Amino acid sequence: MKILVCISHVPDTTSKINFTEGDTKFDTNGVQFVINPNDEFGLTRAMWFKEKQGAHVTVVNVGGAETEPTLRKALAIGADGAIRVNTAATDGFSVAKQLANVVKNGGYDLVIAGRESIDYNGGMVPGMIAGLIDANFVNNCISLEIDGDTAKAIREIDGGKETLSTSLPLVIGGQKGLVQESDLRIPNMRGIMMARQKPLTILEPVDANNETTSVKFEKPAPKGAVKLVSPDNLDELINLLHNEAKVI
Amino acid sequence: MSVLVYTESEQGKFKKTAFEVASYAKAVADQLGTTVTAITINANDTSELGNYGVDKVLNVSNTQLDMFNAKGYAEAIQQAAEQEASKIIILSSSANSKYLAPLLAVRLNAGYASNVINAPSSTSPFTVKRTAFTNKAFEMTTINTDVKIVGVSNNSFGLVEKSGDASAEDFSPVISDLGVKVESIDKASNKVSIADAEIVVSGGRGLKGPENWGMVEELASVLGAATACSKPVSDLGWRPHGEHVGQTGKPVAANLYIAIGISGAIQHLAGINASKVKVVINSDADAPFFKAADYGVVGDAFTVVPELIEKLKAFKAQQ
């Protein structure tokens, strides 16, 4: 089985978010970049398939040279090879077109992408890849078993979960639950050394217009001070929620 | 060229978000000087949509689509958009709508903006405000394509009632092989889901163990709220993953978010920032969550919450 894991290069979850150039660009100054957490669950599941069932795992990212440390980390975790599509990721649809091109040319049976990246939260790339290559698609995937060409998946729905059956080729939008958090891997020294020897292929992008353009960013208005209510006066809290905030 | 809105239903009945996206579609149609057409899939009674600005309803009745299927639903909406020559398609931010929207975008070669919180600031270029960086910022996005898809964030636009009648007609899209089959659904039918909830009551490690969740559920029950939890709680297995709220869990955009025994890590705050009013109950006066809260109670959850439940019951009885 050939698996492609899409890796988004995102600011660490604890990052302070700031903007530059008149609030038009994300300020990367002092920000540490990591594998998108939703993709990390997918990468770990791919490693499980590789180790338990036999699979060849390639990781892919659309981005400039600055994203290569993130791909090298994925190689150190155990991916067999990496591809970087050499263009800035500025729009979900155009990223999906680049990734779909990689899938078409690589003959992958299973494509694992995170349900969304934690920076732009567009939530569109996995579904668009599936649409572009006409593959089956399961979003919000929290469990995946493959047997030959058939797949059984569980996805999270609003207020519960749903068990699905489908077949390869398949694209999933994965998330927390796909593997246990405790099973996520930190690269060890041997993995880091081996990653240096693994192939990292740079592909030039295909033509793909930006269907959306990020014009400007804003940060939420500063919050006023909290109104503290004494635990001995909870009637006051109910009064505030009813008469001031008007939410109950 | 009407604005097309997909109004979601469950077991034949519209979800509240259906009326919210209809209200949003009406606002966009007013900006463009056009009408609103809704597409419904296996909904029982569509008359209510007229009260939220819908002019015409396309009713799909199709047993193939009894269970949600992203591909099949995207096909139906695509064909409705083509029939109506709609250039703007509005959906909600439910898990199902976010599942089908990218497939629809490919079918229509349409730019898609998700998590949109305001009516367009401009229709030419078509520019919307959406949340990004897991609610730590907003992004103004322009959709450049001829056909545009907008996913409206739940509880962001609200309901705008207008008295009106919507005409209804049957619509029979051609549905191809669905590709993915639903084997079973595991959903608590009597519980409010986090995505639909106007109020969310959430517990953290301060509650000390799963055996203490009874009071969280009781408080949620009194308020008609959904229950949620912080990441450590779901990691410890005290509560299911589906209740985990935060950057890697579910985002919450409720009108009221009550956090009990949650200190307020940056990843948790990112997940709940879009909520309008936040109440924090915590025994640690230095918990970072108090800086993000509107109202706070510094006190022991095991005495504050039961007392709050009793007082809320009395308050509700008087309403």
Side-chain angles (χ1 to χ4, degrees):
Chain A
M1 181 163 59
K2 282 185 76 176
I3 303 176
L4 185 71
V5 182
C6 306
I7 300 284
S8 195
H9 167 84
V10 298
D12 178 73
T13 58
T14 58
S15 300
K16 301 269 187 215
I17 303 300
N18 290 303
F19 302 99
T20 58
E21 299 181 37
D23 290 332
T24 60
K25 296 273 184 302
F26 174 62
D27 183 1
T28 57
N29 195 22
V31 171
Q32 190 184 347
F33 282 80
V34 296
I35 298 174
N36 181 43
N38 290 312
D39 303 344
E40 203 176 354
F41 289 108
L43 176 62
T44 308
R45 189 64 189 164
M47 289 300 106
W48 187 93
F49 285 122
K50 178 182 166 178
E51 288 158 14
K52 305 285 185 194
Q53 296 185 196
H56 186 274
V57 178
T58 304
V59 290
V60 62
N61 164 261
V62 177
E66 71 281 2
T67 70
E68 285 189 9
T70 299
L71 285 175
R72 286 280 175 210
K73 185 180 172 191
L75 290 171
I77 286 171
D80 300 296
I83 297 169
R84 177 171 69 79
V85 181
N86 189 28
T87 184
T90 48
D91 158 56
F93 209 155
S94 59
V95 167
K97 285 177 183 169
Q98 301 301 342
L99 294 171
N101 183 55
V102 172
V103 180
K104 276 181 198 160
N105 292 328
Y108 295 95
D109 308 292
L110 174 64
V111 179
I112 303 180
R115 68 153 197 232
E116 68 175 22
S117 64
I118 62 162
D119 48 6
Y120 292 90
N121 309 114
M124 65 185 84
V125 170
M128 286 177 170
I129 297 171
L132 289 164
I133 64 168
D134 198 23
N136 292 322
F137 173 48
V138 175
N139 204 16
N140 300 100
C141 189
I142 54 171
S143 168
L144 181 66
E145 307 285 346
I146 308 273
D147 183 6
D149 280 345
T150 63
K152 186 175 167 188
I154 301 177
R155 78 173 182 106
E156 202 169 275
I157 57 176
D158 290 337
K161 54 192 178 183
E162 192 174 72
T163 302
L164 306 160
S165 60
T166 186
S167 58
L168 304 181
L170 173 66
V171 179
I172 68 158
Q175 62 177 58
K176 186 183 175 195
L178 199 52
V179 296
Q180 293 298 313
E181 182 118 356
S182 55
D183 290 336
L184 293 177
R185 297 167 188 205
I186 298 165
N188 56 28
M189 189 50 73
R190 185 165 173 269
I192 293 166
M193 297 302 285
M194 285 177 70
R196 292 181 186 165
Q197 312 301 321
K198 290 179 180 174
L200 196 162
T201 307
I202 298 167
L203 292 181
E204 289 309 312
V206 291
D207 283 343
N209 292 333
N210 277 355
E211 317 294 20
T212 56
T213 307
S214 193
V215 183
K216 200 167 183 180
F217 296 96
E218 283 173 19
K219 288 175 70 170
K223 252 201 58 55
V226 61
K227 272 190 188 173
L228 287 177
V229 175
S230 163
D232 301 323
N233 189 13
L234 294 176
D235 286 323
E236 175 61 8
L237 178 63
I238 292 169
N239 176 44
L240 288 167
L241 293 176
H242 181 60
N243 292 314
E244 186 175 84
K246 301 189 190 311
V247 286
I248 61 169
Chain B
M1 189 224 80
S2 43
V3 172
L4 183 71
V5 57
Y6 166 51
T7 46
E8 274 178 79
S9 55
E10 200 166 80
Q11 292 174 329
K13 216 169 155 240
F14 285 116
K15 297 171 84 169
K16 194 197 99 184
T17 53
F19 303 128
E20 186 170 25
V21 290
S23 303
Y24 186 96
K26 173 66 176 164
V28 177
D30 284 349
Q31 282 179 275
L32 294 168
T34 186
T35 56
V36 178
T37 299
I39 173 168
T40 69
I41 297 177
N42 296 330
N44 295 336
D45 175 10
T46 62
S47 59
E48 230 181 320
L49 291 174
N51 296 329
Y52 297 92
V54 173
D55 299 287
K56 179 168 121 180
V57 183
L58 299 177
N59 281 322
V60 177
S61 298
N62 186 325
T63 52
Q64 265 182 295
L65 304 178
D66 274 346
M67 303 274 222
F68 173 79
N69 179 282
K71 188 180 172 200
Y73 277 46
E75 281 181 349
I77 299 168
Q78 174 204 356
Q79 290 167 46
E82 286 169 351
Q83 176 182 295
E84 298 298 303
S86 298
K87 300 293 186 192
I88 296 173
I89 298 141
I90 313 288
L91 314 102
S92 80
S93 285
S94 71
N96 286 352
S97 281
K98 282 186 159 178
Y99 188 178
L100 75 85
L103 299 175
L104 180 64
V106 169
R107 288 178 167 275
L108 293 169
N109 196 23
Y112 165 47
S114 59
N115 306 325
V116 170
I117 56 166
N118 282 355
S121 59
S122 152
T123 54
S124 183
F126 192 90
T127 307
V128 286
K129 185 176 183 176
R130 60 184 299 277
T131 58
F133 296 94
T134 324
N135 298 314
K136 289 187 220 170
F138 303 108
E139 181 191 35
M140 302 301 290
T141 297
T142 295
I143 306 179
N144 308 322
T145 42
D146 186 31
V147 181
K148 301 159 179 67
I149 302 177
V150 176
V152 181
S153 194
N154 291 0
N155 292 324
S156 61
F157 190 75
L159 304 178
V160 183
E161 289 198 52
K162 306 188 185 257
S163 56
D165 288 321
S167 65
E169 59 186 64
D170 290 338
F171 180 64
S172 304
V174 178
I175 305 300
S176 60
D177 175 34
L178 296 176
V180 175
K181 185 177 169 216
V182 177
E183 299 290 346
S184 62
I185 295 175
D186 178 9
K187 185 172 175 176
S189 57
N190 57 347
K191 271 194 88 172
V192 183
S193 78
I194 293 171
D196 294 333
E198 291 186 21
I199 303 176
V200 173
V201 179
S202 190
R205 238 183 330 194
L207 288 171
K208 295 189 167 65
E211 66 279 8
N212 296 321
W213 240 260
M215 63 182 184
V216 174
E217 281 171 344
E218 192 176 356
L219 179 56
S221 166
V222 173
L223 290 167
T227 55
C229 68
S230 65
K231 182 172 180 290
V233 164
S234 74
D235 287 348
L236 286 163
W238 296 356
R239 301 296 294 173
H241 286 310
E243 289 196 5
H244 162 203
V245 158
Q247 197 150 22
T248 54
K250 279 198 159 60
V252 172
N255 289 334
L256 171 61
Y257 183 80
I258 302 178
I260 305 166
I262 301 175
S263 60
I266 189 168
Q267 296 94 333
H268 186 82
L269 297 180
I272 61 101
N273 264 348
S275 296
K276 293 190 179 77
V277 176
K278 297 144 205 151
V279 174
V280 170
I281 299 168
N282 202 307
S283 56
D284 176 7
D286 295 324
F289 214 147
F290 283 113
K291 290 199 175 94
D294 298 281
Y295 305 105
V297 180
V298 180
D300 181 359
F302 295 98
T303 55
V304 171
V305 176
E307 195 180 334
L308 184 60
I309 289 168
E310 292 313 311
K311 288 189 180 293
L312 278 168
K313 280 182 181 167
F315 167 77
K316 292 275 180 187
Q318 286 170 7
Q319 296 298 300

